[in-house]
């Protein structure tokens, strides 16, 4: 595997490749990330990964400086997966000057749910993803469904800018107890880790209630939020939405998804389940 840190060298290395499958990451890789690499290989060749902790998507009170970084371990994992190129730029390479041009998603999609509780988050995500696409020039790019809203926003950005990149969604990878794998899970204490699967259990119970015929979505959301609070969580949101546009669900809507974000101690976890 070639490790490249400059945009010029990356473009030279990938010159002539027209079936690149790309997986952007912020590092601290786990089995969920590695499953994205395997899925990428099914859709293109060569597989290119990136590791870049993007300051633009972190708020002033968020964990940019303490975000877990494990570069040497990440390199070893990617080599075992047969990744062809790891693009690992320094911040000054990606942003040699202040990034004044930003991609701002539409209000109706970017300022709700995650966007409401993390103002500017999706602007930072879209900006860095567009820049990474310009650097790598992939044919396909793989994004996990765990970040459900992000996946939708990136897909729509590609459509509206007519980018020649197919966005491939990947199913959420979970631990045996149901906890969605996340780089931030490493911030959980031993006691918190034992409690963490309760978020998935809460979403599963809500899904089961809807499948069984309950359509009082507001009451279901309130009951689920109350259950999280009773177990020591600090929920930001838990909401039943339409998959097609992430707008609030109404009776008669098909193809739903329940999305949630909540803090357990100092660690903020997100999860979702399609219904």
């Amino acid at each position: 595997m070639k490790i490249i840190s400059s945009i010029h060298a990356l473009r030279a290395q990938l010159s002539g490749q027209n079936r690149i499958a790309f997986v952007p990451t912020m590092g601290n890789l786990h089995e969920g990330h590695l499953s994205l690499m395997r899925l990428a290989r099914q859709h293109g060749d060569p597989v290119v990964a990136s590791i870049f902790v993007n300051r633009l998507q972190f708020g002033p009170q968020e964990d940019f400086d303490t975000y877990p970084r494990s570069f040497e371990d990440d390199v070893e994992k990617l080599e075992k997966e047969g990744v062809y190129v790891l693009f690992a730029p320094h911040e000054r390479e990606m942003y040699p000057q202040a990034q004044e041009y930003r991609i701002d998603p539409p209000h109706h999609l970017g300022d709700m749910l995650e966007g409401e509780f993390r103002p500017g988050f999706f602007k930072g995500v879209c900006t860095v993803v567009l820049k990474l696409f310009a650097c790598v020039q992939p044919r396909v790019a793989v994004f996990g469904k765990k970040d459900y809203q992000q996946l939708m926003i990136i897909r729509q950005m590609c459509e509206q800018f007519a980018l020649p990149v197919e966005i491939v969604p990947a199913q959420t990878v979970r631990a045996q107890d149901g906890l969605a794998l996340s780089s931030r899970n490493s911030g959980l204490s031993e006691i918190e880790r034992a409690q963490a699967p309760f978020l998935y259990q809460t979403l599963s119970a809500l899904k089961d209630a809807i499948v069984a015929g309950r359509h009082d979505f507001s009451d279901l959301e309130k009951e689920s939020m109350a259950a999280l609070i009773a177990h020591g969580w600090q929920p930001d949101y838990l909401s039943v939405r339409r998959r097609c546009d992430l707008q609030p669900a109404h009776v008669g809507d098909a193809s739903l998804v329940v999305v949630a974000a909540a803090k357990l101690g100092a660690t903020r976890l997100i999860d979702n389940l399609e219904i």
Side-chain angles (χ1 to χ4, degrees):
M1 182 177 74
K2 296 175 173 60
I3 302 174
I4 297 175
S5 60
S6 84
I7 296 172
H8 176 77
L10 178 73
R11 287 175 173 161
Q13 182 66 43
L14 297 177
S15 178
Q17 301 281 2
N18 58 14
R19 296 185 63 249
I20 296 168
F22 179 45
V23 184
T25 84
M26 293 207 300
N28 196 34
L29 304 181
H30 50 68
E31 179 59 28
H33 292 112
L34 302 183
S35 73
L36 303 184
M37 308 299 163
R38 295 167 202 144
L39 181 59
R41 186 170 295 105
Q42 297 175 27
H43 290 268
D45 181 56
V47 174
V48 176
S50 67
I51 292 177
F52 180 66
V53 182
N54 176 41
R55 187 185 298 271
L56 297 187
Q57 68 194 65
F58 288 79
Q61 306 302 319
E62 294 186 334
D63 58 346
F64 175 79
D65 291 326
T66 59
Y67 189 85
R69 294 163 170 85
S70 54
F71 188 75
E72 291 183 3
D73 288 343
D74 293 345
V75 167
E76 184 176 346
K77 290 174 182 176
L78 293 176
E79 285 179 333
K80 289 180 179 178
E81 292 299 327
V83 170
Y84 175 60
V85 167
L86 168 59
F87 180 45
H90 299 291
E91 191 170 29
R92 63 182 176 271
E93 178 71 14
M94 286 295 287
Y95 304 125
Q97 56 190 9
Q99 186 69 33
E100 296 175 335
Y101 286 84
R102 307 278 183 106
I103 302 299
D104 199 355
H107 169 77
H108 70 270
L109 186 56
D111 294 338
M112 62 175 179
L113 300 173
E114 281 295 284
E116 177 183 352
F117 289 91
R118 302 183 67 186
F121 171 69
F122 287 119
K123 183 185 292 187
V125 168
C126 287
T127 301
V128 75
V129 168
L130 184 63
K131 197 159 190 174
L132 286 168
F133 284 175
C135 296
V136 177
Q137 300 182 37
R139 186 181 69 84
V140 301
V142 180
F143 289 82
K145 281 189 175 183
K146 185 176 77 70
D147 298 287
Y148 208 88
Q149 188 176 6
Q150 173 180 281
L151 172 63
M152 178 172 289
I153 287 174
I154 295 299
R155 178 180 280 136
Q156 291 193 9
M157 179 185 76
C158 289
E159 291 173 354
Q160 292 205 5
F161 282 104
L163 300 180
V165 183
E166 177 189 355
I167 303 301
V168 176
Q171 295 297 329
T172 301
V173 178
R174 300 183 180 276
Q176 288 188 345
D177 57 11
L179 176 65
L181 299 190
S182 168
S183 297
R184 287 189 166 92
N185 290 352
S186 60
L188 296 167
S189 69
E190 185 176 347
I191 294 175
E192 290 166 347
R193 175 60 186 84
Q195 173 65 16
F198 188 70
L199 180 60
Y200 172 68
Q201 293 163 11
T202 302
L203 298 185
S204 296
L206 190 154
K207 174 181 177 178
D208 290 345
I210 292 174
V211 171
R214 283 191 65 180
H215 296 111
D216 50 334
F217 299 135
S218 180
D219 289 343
L220 285 168
E221 291 167 355
K222 291 175 183 176
E223 292 168 13
S224 299
M225 291 273 277
L228 286 171
I229 293 170
H231 282 76
W233 293 71
Q234 304 168 59
D236 283 344
Y237 61 83
L238 189 153
S239 186
V240 181
R241 301 283 173 137
R242 299 189 306 225
R243 289 190 215 173
C244 62
D245 56 9
L246 285 183
Q247 294 304 302
H250 300 286
V251 176
D253 286 338
S255 298
L256 306 178
V257 60
V258 54
V259 293
K263 281 187 177 180
L264 185 59
T267 303
R268 185 175 185 272
L269 302 178
I270 65 171
D271 204 348
N272 65 79
L273 275 181
E274 292 182 331
I275 302 172

